Amino acid sequence: MTTTTTQTETATPQVAPIRFETSVNYDEAPVNGFPYKYANYLPHFIPGLQPPLQEFEHHDPGARADPSKAALLKASGITVNEITPATGTEIHGIQLSSLTDAQKDELALLAAERGVVVFRGQDFADIGPERQRAFGAHFGPLHVHQHGGHVKDFPELLPVYRDFKAGSVDNEIKNNVSSIKWHSDMSYEINGMGTTIFFSLSTPVSGGDTLYLSTTAAYNALSETYRTRLHGLQATHSGYQQAQVAENKERYIREPIETVHPIVRTHPATGTKSLYVNRLYTRRIVGLKEEESASILDFLYNHIEHGQDWHIRVHWTPGTVVVYDNRVTQHSALRDFQVKEGETRRHMLRITPQGERPRFDGP
């Protein structure tokens, strides 16, 4: 059984996809003497604007899961380990590609509870884009990014690719002292992102890790008085800056939007509350003057980003897949690896189901 959510379909323009420029010449030169195994996952884009996304109703698969999660966590041969008390669970001994629908529902609930679930030794990168897309669609309608990058013929599959030429400069952080860019994916969209799948195709031996944190634990660490003051406040989230700093604006497929969301949101499957502001996309608190808004947001950003009690770091190895819930986490890639022209790359793939429009259920 798959999720019952529906979303207005967006017609795909009948224009041939164009592949991103890369430092590695995949057409003429094999990589390390062999054709690149994941060349069909290189990023493409289709020129032309598409209509804006429309709000839809979402029924989260985690809400229908067995609370004990016995089908997933008590499967034969499985081992389950906490990464930290606050967030992160690592699982060995089961293949995501073989999960039943009931196990997928339980995975959605586990991700909601633990924030980040790390699977090792997976065959998921090799099951093909059709099955990967179908797996993601179990958790909700699949998001297509406004910047237009996608696997050829699969707009719902987002390659995150970086080499000496492609993505070598990130304009959002190029003037920063580090590569850290904490955020929840596309929080400016009307329907937020939900149970998200992210996995490696080709990564540097050293560097290129991903940092994750729990915004549920960050919320719970605040005093009850301060939490109560945040309840009911709303803030704007904007996709305009992401679009403005882009070097390849011809790739964008939708006009950027700005949306209002609650600062504290309630998870539909667990009922837990989490902070829903991030430095990358959140702009200001509705109804407050600029200085008032900035003082609260700056405190929350620093609180969320610096609380090592609720942070983890994932090192990517072949066969690693991370399932994380965008509603209760933030993350940042690390661009700390040395890039050699024509050789080094960090090639990942993200499948991003959308969830409900963020809401706050009092008190």
Side-chain angles (χ1 to χ4, degrees):
M1 180 173 65
T2 57
T3 183
T4 57
T5 48
T6 59
Q7 185 177 20
T8 302
E9 295 291 331
T10 299
T12 302
Q14 299 301 308
V15 180
I18 301 171
R19 196 170 78 189
F20 287 20
E21 288 187 273
T22 59
S23 174
V24 181
N25 188 336
Y26 293 100
D27 295 322
E28 298 179 5
V31 180
N32 297 323
F34 300 94
Y36 180 42
K37 183 178 181 180
Y38 298 109
N40 60 321
Y41 285 91
L42 292 169
H44 291 68
F45 73 98
I46 297 176
L49 286 177
Q50 299 178 19
L53 299 180
Q54 301 298 313
E55 184 178 354
F56 61 89
E57 183 180 359
H58 175 70
H59 303 282
D60 196 78
R64 62 178 179 243
D66 175 1
S68 74
K69 301 176 286 294
L72 177 65
L73 299 183
K74 296 183 180 179
S76 176
I78 196 172
T79 60
V80 182
N81 298 299
E82 282 189 359
I83 299 175
T84 72
T87 188
T89 295
E90 186 160 317
I91 295 180
H92 297 259
I94 194 169
Q95 291 291 333
L96 288 168
S97 60
S98 66
L99 295 187
T100 65
D101 283 353
Q103 289 173 317
K104 293 174 191 173
D105 290 349
E106 293 176 9
L107 175 57
L109 180 58
L110 180 63
E113 294 172 344
R114 297 292 300 157
V116 181
V117 187
V118 182
F119 294 85
R120 305 288 188 180
Q122 297 294 302
D123 63 6
F124 197 78
D126 299 318
I127 65 174
E130 294 90 351
R131 291 182 62 192
Q132 291 159 348
R133 179 172 62 183
F135 182 92
H138 180 90
F139 303 99
L142 298 182
H143 182 260
V144 178
H145 202 291
Q146 68 172 1
H147 72 37
H150 64 271
V151 172
K152 185 179 180 181
D153 300 326
F154 295 90
E156 307 91 347
L157 304 185
L158 175 69
V160 181
Y161 181 94
R162 187 175 299 274
D163 66 14
F164 191 82
K165 179 181 291 185
S168 59
V169 176
D170 188 330
N171 287 333
E172 289 173 322
I173 61 169
K174 68 179 181 181
N175 292 319
N176 294 3
V177 296
S178 79
S179 62
I180 303 301
K181 186 173 67 173
W182 287 110
H183 63 286
S184 298
D185 291 319
M186 291 82 66
S187 64
Y188 49 78
E189 298 288 21
I190 299 172
N191 284 74
M193 306 304 118
T195 307
T196 304
I197 303 98
F198 193 49
F199 58 97
S200 59
L201 298 172
S202 177
T203 56
V205 175
S206 175
D209 296 350
T210 301
L211 310 178
Y212 292 92
L213 62 79
S214 168
T215 53
T216 301
Y219 169 82
N220 289 333
L222 297 171
S223 68
E224 183 177 356
T225 299
Y226 198 88
R227 292 198 302 261
T228 301
R229 288 176 178 174
L230 298 178
H231 292 174
L233 293 180
Q234 295 184 312
T236 56
H237 294 243
S238 176
Y240 280 89
Q241 184 180 12
Q242 184 183 61
Q244 288 169 354
V245 302
E247 291 188 343
N248 302 103
K249 293 181 172 59
E250 73 280 1
R251 298 175 183 171
Y252 270 68
I253 61 170
R254 291 191 302 276
E255 295 290 350
I257 65 170
E258 188 171 272
T259 309
V260 174
H261 292 311
I263 286 179
V264 177
R265 68 180 297 178
T266 305
H267 197 287
T270 64
T272 56
K273 295 179 175 61
S274 60
L275 297 172
Y276 198 61
V277 294
N278 66 87
R279 196 183 296 271
L280 189 60
Y281 298 128
T282 309
R283 291 295 169 261
R284 64 179 302 168
I285 298 174
V286 177
L288 297 188
K289 294 184 177 181
E290 185 173 343
E291 294 89 347
E292 296 168 338
S293 172
S295 68
I296 296 174
L297 289 177
D298 286 345
F299 168 77
L300 291 176
Y301 298 152
N302 289 325
H303 169 67
I304 292 167
E305 296 170 0
H306 296 159
Q308 292 299 306
D309 291 354
W310 47 82
H311 287 213
I312 62 171
R313 178 173 180 150
V314 174
H315 177 63
W316 298 101
T317 56
T320 297
V321 180
V322 169
V323 179
Y324 63 99
D325 193 323
N326 255 299
R327 293 165 287 203
V328 297
T329 61
Q330 290 185 25
H331 59 276
S332 176
L334 281 173
R335 295 160 180 84
D336 56 347
F337 53 94
Q338 299 298 311
V339 180
K340 296 180 180 179
E341 186 170 7
E343 182 178 336
T344 309
R345 63 172 169 263
R346 182 181 186 268
H347 191 185
M348 316 289 291
L349 193 81
R350 192 177 76 209
I351 309 169
T352 319
Q354 290 185 261
E356 71 288 350
R357 182 170 189 156
R359 69 174 193 267
F360 170 72
D361 296 336

